[in-house]
Structure formats: C-alpha cells, structure tokens
Amino acid sequence: MLNYTIRRLLLAIPTLIAISLIIFLLLDLAPSDPTANLPLTIPPEVREKIRQSLGIGDPIYIRYLLWCKQFFVNEPLNILEQVFGWDFGGDRLRVLSWQTRSPVVDLIVQRMPQTLWVVGMSYIVGVLIAVPIGIYSAYKQYSWFDQAGTFVSMVGFSVPTFFTGVLMIVIFSVWLGWFPSIYDTTHVVTDWQSFVFQVRQMAMPVFVLALFNAAQISRFMRASMLDNLNLDYVRTARAKGMKERTVLLVHVLRNSLIPVVTVIALGVPQVFGGAIITEQVFKVNGLGQLLIIAIQGGDLPTVQTLTFIFAVLIILFNLIADVLYGILDPRIRYD
Amino acid sequence: MTDTVPDSLAAARPPQSQWRNVWDQYKTHRGALWGMGFFLFVVLAVLLGPYLWTIDAQYIDIRARNQGPSLSHPFGTDQLGRDTLARMLSGGRVSMFVGMTAMLLALLLGTLVGVVAGYFKRLDGPLMRLTDLFLALPLLPLLLVIIMLFRDTLRSAFGPETGIFILIVFVIGITSWMQTARIVRGDVLALKEREFVIASRSIGTPSRRMISRHILPNVLSPITVSATLGIANAIITESALSFLGLGFPSDFPTWGRLLFDSTDYLQQYPERVLWPGLAISLTVLSVNYIGDGLRDALDPRIRGR
C-alpha cells in the first residue's frame, strides 16, 4: 500500500507540471493587458515601464520557470516561516496580485475561512442527509419513499444551484424575511445572538449546496446498497438469526460505504469549483468570488494561483480516493 | 432444461425488431415518457414559437415596462418593456442550440478518442493520459478564464453574437468529452475480444471498415446515453456562464442570461426569475429522465426482464 501511494505521488508530479504549464500558457498567450484599466493619461513610455516592472517583457520560458520557482519554492517557505516562526533568511519574491499589490497567498488565506465554512458545512450536511436516504430507499426498493427519493435527487441535480439559490432568496428573504439574502463576512461570533445570526446567514447557501451534493451521493449510496443486499453473506447473516438492524447497519452498510467514501472524496474538489456560483448568488466573499473578481480585473497571478490550487485539490483528492479504496477494501491490491 | 425456457418464451411472443423492443422497454419508464414529451414540446416551442408569437424580442416599448402578466404580455415585460415570452422563446432557441451543438462536439471528440484509444493499442496510453489530464483540470474556473480572455478577440473576428456562440460551444465541447471517451474505450476494448470481430479480422477487414461496420454500431447505446447527459450538462454550463455574466450579451439573451438579468430586480419583481429558471430546470430534468429511460431501454440485460 505504501509502495502504491508513493508511486501514485510520483505519477502526480508530471500531471501537475503539465497542468501548471497549461494554465500558465493559456493565460500568458491570451490578449489581456494588466495596464488596460489604468488611466489613459499615463504616457506610453511610463506604461511600458509599468509592464516591465510586472515582468511581462521577458521570454516565455523564463517567466514560466520564475513562476514555478515562486510557486513551488518561495511560497511554501513563506508559509513555513509564518506558521513555525522559523527564519530561512534571504529576500524572496512573492506572487503578487496585480490588483491589490499584496501577496496572493495572503489573499487566499483571508478568503479561505468563508469558503471552508459554507462549502465544507454544506458538504457534511449533504453527506449526512444522503447516506440515510440512500440506505432506506435501497432497503425498501420501489416503495413510495424510494420513488420520492429518486424524484427528489433527480430534481436535485437537474436544477442548477443558481436557480435554487435565487428561488430560496425569493421565498425566504423577500417574501418571508426569515434569512438575510447577503452573507455578511465581517460578522464575528461573540455571543449567542451573533451565533444565531451566523447560523441564519449560513442556512440558505448551505442548504442549496447540500441539496445538490445529497442528490448525487444518495444515488450512489442506494446503488451500492442494492449491489450488496442480494449477496450471499447477507443471507448467511440472516440465517444465523441476526437482527435485521444488525444485518443492515453493520454488515451491508460497511461494505456499501466503500465505493461511496471514494465518491465523497472525489467530490470534494468539484464542490470547491461549483461553489463559485453559490458564492456569487449569496455574495459570500470566498475563494470563488476572489477568482471572479480577479478574472474580471485581468489579474493574472491571482487567477493562475487559484486555478492551480483547484487543480492540486483535484489531483490530491483523486489520490486520497484511490488510497482509501485500497485501505477500506482489503480485496483490492494494487501491487 | 436450458432449452425449454427460451422456447416457451419465443412461443409466447412473436419475434420483434430490436428497436421495437427498445421502444417497448422505454415506454415502461413513465418519467422518461414525460421527459420526452416535455423535451419535444420545448424544442417545438422554441422552433415554431417565434412564428406564432410574433412580438419582436428586441422591441423596446418603454411605456409598457415592468408589467405583470396580462393578455398582451402573458409573461409580463422587463425593465425596458420587452416582452418576456418572446425573449424566453428566442433565448430558448439559443440555449437549446448551444446545448445541442456543444453536445455534438463533445460526443464527436469523445467517440473519436475512445474508439482510437480502444482500438489501436499503441495510442491507448497517451490518449488515456490526456483524458486523465483533462479530468484533473478545474473546469469551471478554466471556462471562465478562457471566455474572459478570448471573448473580445472572437467578437471582433466574427461579430458579437457568432463570436461568443463559437467560443461557448467550443469551450463546453472541449471540456466535456472525457466521460464519453472513457466509456467508449471500455466498450471497444471488450468488443475487440469478441468472436465476430476476430472473425472479421481473420478475413482481412481493414481497420477503417472494421471500426465503421463492427465497432461503432455496437457502441451506439453508450454514446446515445451520454448524448442526452451531454445536452443537460451543456445547457447547465452555458446558463452558469451567462449567470456569472461571462456568457451571451444582454441583447442576445439565453435562459441563463435572462435569469441573471432578472436577479437585479429580485426585490421588486421576484416572479421574473421564475420563467427562465423553470425553463432551464425542467428542460434539464426532462433530458435527464430521457437518459435514464434510454439507459434501461438500451441495456439488453434489463430489457429482457
């Protein structure tokens, strides 16, 4: 298993390099000018100097290697310095945002909590809803509960989050006035009242994303339970005189969860990407909104860094899913 | 023992053509029938609707702005007095057309990569690594980035509407072929070991003929199913892009763009987001149900029961 993990880690390196090259080239070859938004009164030679100071004049491979060095060497060292208080010495160039002139990593660190709270919470809620529904609808296959569950999950992944989100705002904040429609990021939880406010403002985005996630995961859960319910070991367990509850929740569930756990792991990075829309609907200023603003402002370093982080997340969770599968299911041997 | 069962079955049922069987199985899926009915309705509505409902979608009648539903404007009017029904019909035309074209492009790419990777052993490794690479790309951020970067270039080259249409169809097509390619490759790999393919190779059939006569007809059913899912995916992606303000311009609306424009008036006219949102959701829902029904109907193991 360790061997396999190491091999997979090594294989991830060329993929990462290829992706970083794609992202870098795509943004670099595109006709976008970071000085286009500056006032027209700036003379052309000053404008050229600004471009030089941003490092746009150098040949493409030098810029790529510098970008890689910044990204893979400088930033990790900075993070280590900040976290552990070590000092590696030397003056390292950081990846600076062209819009705010501050390091991109700092921006991401600022935005991360909002995204993690909303998106992470919605994913956990989604899984917690999906697993029981999947179990019960597989156990009572073709019952009205199963039919309803199938319909709801079909609706759940057919209706896009930007419509459910807007619909929720119309119903719960315009008509009923229960929840605020805009997420207030500056809100700090100090006492019970502010905690209630935090829960209220998180309710809608979390629910919208949770519904979307639960729709997919409950289908997987149901299919996986159905695969296991007709197997011989279930009959044996029942023949031994075990309680139906034990058969279902201990024997079948443990085996059915194996593929579902990997599906859950695989879904994590997609949730980060998909949350861009939900963040936009509810005005949560998380990572997705940072990306949108950076794209609209032609802020190449921020866009490159964020897209690359999303790619790293996808590769990382693919790896985790594969390794988990091997750990959970001893029948699977990769070597 | 094994012979008697099929005999009795054959006696009970007269022989039918394969497509008849498929249709019989498809009919038993009620959701799929409803889905197909609704999908055909939407296609007819967006194709013929503009001829029946003759108000111009671009016509601005500023005195009739922000109206609720009435006989002359069944869906009401927007902030410039444009008729919402007419805009829904013409927007639906664009949305559906984008969905279909992007699906065809993705299908073409996916089938090509899948068949080539499955059939030619030497190309299997590189093509599948390419597929994995595409699967590891963060798609929505990349789509946004590509559109933002190349929008103006294409607009100036092909005009504002055609340019953005080409760009959106292209980016959706090029980022959603991977699932099809994987499924098709798996099926081709299995088909290659079957007797009829080996027999056909032994009489010297060239690869080109082999693929077109023996391989492609047999991978048709997974391709059909992924086609329906592809339409759903393309419609949702296009709407999402338009919703983020990076899709079609406001005077050339799609359903996603109409929804995006309506959210500005969410407080005053909350009912306005309903029409485009419902149109997107119901169309995608119906397409997903069609896919579900087709998957059951085209699977001979399920069909037999």
Side-chain angles (χ1 to χ4, degrees):
Chain A
M1 204 64 228
L2 186 70
N3 234 332
Y4 172 74
T5 315
I6 294 172
R7 208 168 57 218
R8 277 297 309 261
L9 270 176
L10 287 179
L11 264 177
I13 294 173
T15 320
L16 275 180
I17 292 177
I19 288 178
S20 73
L21 192 64
I22 290 177
I23 291 171
F24 179 81
L25 284 181
L26 184 69
L27 290 164
D28 209 75
L29 297 177
S32 164
D33 186 1
T35 61
N37 282 342
L38 296 176
L40 286 170
T41 45
I42 296 175
E45 60 268 21
V46 179
R47 198 178 280 269
E48 195 49 43
K49 272 189 185 151
I50 295 175
R51 292 171 58 82
Q52 286 292 330
S53 74
L54 291 170
I56 298 178
D58 295 331
I60 210 163
Y61 62 92
I62 290 184
R63 272 179 292 144
Y64 175 64
L65 288 179
L66 280 176
W67 183 74
C68 283
K69 186 189 165 215
Q70 277 185 328
F71 203 88
F72 293 114
V73 180
N74 291 0
E75 292 300 339
L77 285 180
N78 276 318
I79 291 171
L80 284 179
E81 270 186 4
Q82 275 177 2
V83 172
F84 297 106
W86 298 339
D87 187 17
F88 292 102
D91 195 22
R92 285 182 301 277
L93 195 62
R94 306 199 59 181
V95 183
L96 290 182
S97 156
W98 285 348
Q99 276 180 317
T100 60
R101 309 298 302 160
S102 64
V104 175
V105 175
D106 292 359
L107 284 178
I108 291 174
V109 169
Q110 282 170 9
R111 301 300 188 99
M112 193 72 104
Q114 288 87 285
T115 297
L116 277 186
W117 264 112
V118 175
V119 177
M121 188 65 90
S122 68
Y123 205 59
I124 293 169
V125 172
V127 172
L128 288 182
I129 299 174
V131 170
I133 289 180
I135 295 172
Y136 194 70
S137 38
Y139 187 60
K140 302 265 178 199
Q141 198 188 2
Y142 302 129
S143 65
W144 69 265
F145 184 87
D146 183 29
Q147 306 273 4
T150 311
F151 181 71
V152 169
S153 75
M154 204 69 171
V155 171
F157 65 77
S158 296
V159 182
T161 50
F162 50 84
F163 182 51
T164 33
V166 169
L167 207 61
M168 299 276 286
I169 292 183
V170 169
I171 295 174
F172 291 109
S173 43
V174 178
W175 287 347
L176 297 173
W178 289 355
F179 302 116
S181 73
I182 292 178
Y183 189 91
D184 178 10
T185 341
T186 55
H187 182 72
V188 186
V189 178
T190 49
D191 51 359
W192 176 250
Q193 217 142 39
S194 59
F195 175 72
V196 170
F197 182 79
Q198 176 71 16
V199 170
R200 277 180 55 202
Q201 72 172 354
M202 273 176 60
M204 284 203 294
V206 166
F207 181 77
V208 166
L209 272 178
L211 183 73
F212 185 71
N213 297 327
Q216 297 182 325
I217 296 169
S218 72
R219 287 298 88 190
F220 277 112
M221 192 67 226
R222 175 178 179 272
S224 160
M225 285 290 283
L226 282 179
D227 282 347
N228 274 290
L229 271 173
N230 293 326
L231 291 185
D232 288 343
Y233 76 86
V234 182
R235 196 167 34 178
T236 313
R238 283 187 181 137
K240 276 199 305 190
M242 285 180 139
K243 272 181 285 182
E244 193 63 19
R245 200 184 163 80
T246 324
V247 174
L248 200 65
L249 293 184
V250 177
H251 293 226
V252 182
L253 181 61
R254 279 179 62 170
N255 282 301
S256 324
L257 272 179
I258 297 169
V260 178
V261 165
T262 61
V263 166
I264 291 173
L266 282 179
V268 173
Q270 283 172 9
V271 166
F272 274 92
I276 294 175
I277 293 165
T278 318
E279 285 186 0
Q280 200 70 8
V281 172
F282 293 101
K283 313 275 189 293
V284 181
N285 63 344
L287 289 181
Q289 206 230 9
L290 180 66
L291 180 74
I292 301 266
I293 293 176
I295 287 176
Q296 283 166 352
D299 184 358
L300 287 194
T302 313
V303 176
Q304 281 170 332
T305 314
L306 273 175
T307 333
F308 192 62
I309 286 179
F310 284 134
V312 171
L313 278 177
I314 293 178
I315 292 175
L316 184 70
F317 279 96
N318 272 329
L319 182 70
I320 291 177
D322 278 0
V323 173
L324 265 183
Y325 209 83
I327 293 174
L328 292 175
D329 193 345
R331 286 168 299 186
I332 291 174
R333 280 283 154 261
Y334 293 110
D335 313 298
Chain B
M1 176 72 196
T2 44
D3 282 337
T4 53
V5 178
D7 273 350
S8 66
L9 270 181
R13 234 176 16 186
Q16 286 179 328
S17 82
Q18 189 193 357
W19 293 110
R20 186 63 194 274
N21 281 337
V22 169
W23 173 241
D24 281 347
Q25 171 68 32
Y26 186 84
K27 270 193 304 191
T28 62
H29 196 306
R30 198 145 20 115
L33 271 186
W34 275 104
M36 195 160 81
F38 184 79
F39 188 71
L40 285 179
F41 167 73
V42 171
V43 169
L44 283 179
V46 300
L47 279 184
L48 304 178
Y51 297 107
L52 299 175
W53 187 252
T54 45
I55 297 182
D56 185 7
Q58 313 282 1
Y59 177 68
I60 294 176
D61 183 6
I62 202 76
R63 277 178 302 178
R65 70 177 192 268
N66 293 332
Q67 280 184 353
S70 65
L71 262 185
S72 52
H73 301 290
F75 285 11
T77 56
D78 68 355
Q79 72 278 8
L80 292 175
R82 290 175 291 195
D83 182 61
T84 307
L85 178 59
R87 277 164 73 77
M88 285 286 298
L89 290 175
S90 69
R93 208 180 242 198
V94 183
S95 279
M96 298 292 274
F97 195 49
V98 167
M100 302 261 190
T101 332
M103 174 272 288
L104 280 181
L105 182 63
L107 216 58
L108 200 73
L109 267 174
T111 312
L112 184 75
V113 171
V115 167
V116 169
Y119 193 82
F120 301 102
K121 204 168 187 174
R122 228 166 339 128
L123 292 172
D124 190 18
L127 280 178
M128 281 300 113
R129 289 294 82 72
L130 185 75
T131 314
D132 288 346
L133 183 67
F134 264 84
L135 279 171
L137 288 173
L139 291 182
L140 191 61
L142 266 192
L143 283 179
L144 296 175
V145 171
I146 296 175
I147 288 173
M148 193 65 202
L149 294 173
F150 294 96
R151 189 163 57 171
D152 296 331
T153 325
L154 274 165
R155 267 191 192 166
S156 54
F158 296 101
E161 283 147 23
T162 329
I164 198 84
F165 179 82
I166 293 174
L167 181 62
I168 285 190
V169 165
F170 180 74
V171 291
I172 294 179
I174 208 143
T175 51
S176 50
W177 54 269
M178 293 84 74
Q179 303 297 344
T180 317
R182 282 190 150 186
I183 297 168
V184 169
R185 169 184 172 264
D187 277 21
V188 171
L189 280 180
L191 274 177
K192 248 173 65 177
E193 305 303 320
R194 295 275 287 276
E195 284 84 356
F196 71 94
V197 176
I198 298 172
S200 161
R201 180 176 301 137
S202 69
I203 57 172
T205 316
S207 295
R208 184 169 41 84
R209 181 97 30 86
M210 189 86 112
I211 289 173
S212 61
R213 283 295 287 276
H214 298 295
I215 304 279
L216 274 184
N218 281 300
V219 292
L220 208 60
S221 58
I223 294 179
T224 323
V225 174
S226 51
T228 56
L229 300 181
I231 294 184
N233 173 46
I235 291 179
I236 285 207
T237 314
E238 183 275 317
S239 316
L241 292 174
S242 295
F243 184 78
L244 293 171
L246 286 164
F248 285 86
S250 187
D251 50 352
F252 185 58
T254 62
W255 286 337
R257 182 74 206 194
L258 286 173
L259 185 63
F260 177 59
D261 289 344
S262 316
T263 52
D264 292 343
Y265 297 89
L266 202 55
Q267 299 279 345
Q268 298 100 322
Y269 309 102
E271 71 281 355
R272 211 178 271 171
V273 296
L274 272 182
W275 299 119
L278 273 182
I280 298 169
S281 311
L282 288 178
T283 310
V284 171
L285 188 66
S286 68
V287 173
N288 277 337
Y289 265 117
I290 294 175
D292 221 34
L294 273 181
R295 192 191 340 242
D296 289 356
L298 290 172
D299 189 341
R301 281 168 304 181
I302 295 180
R303 195 165 62 221
R305 284 194 301 198

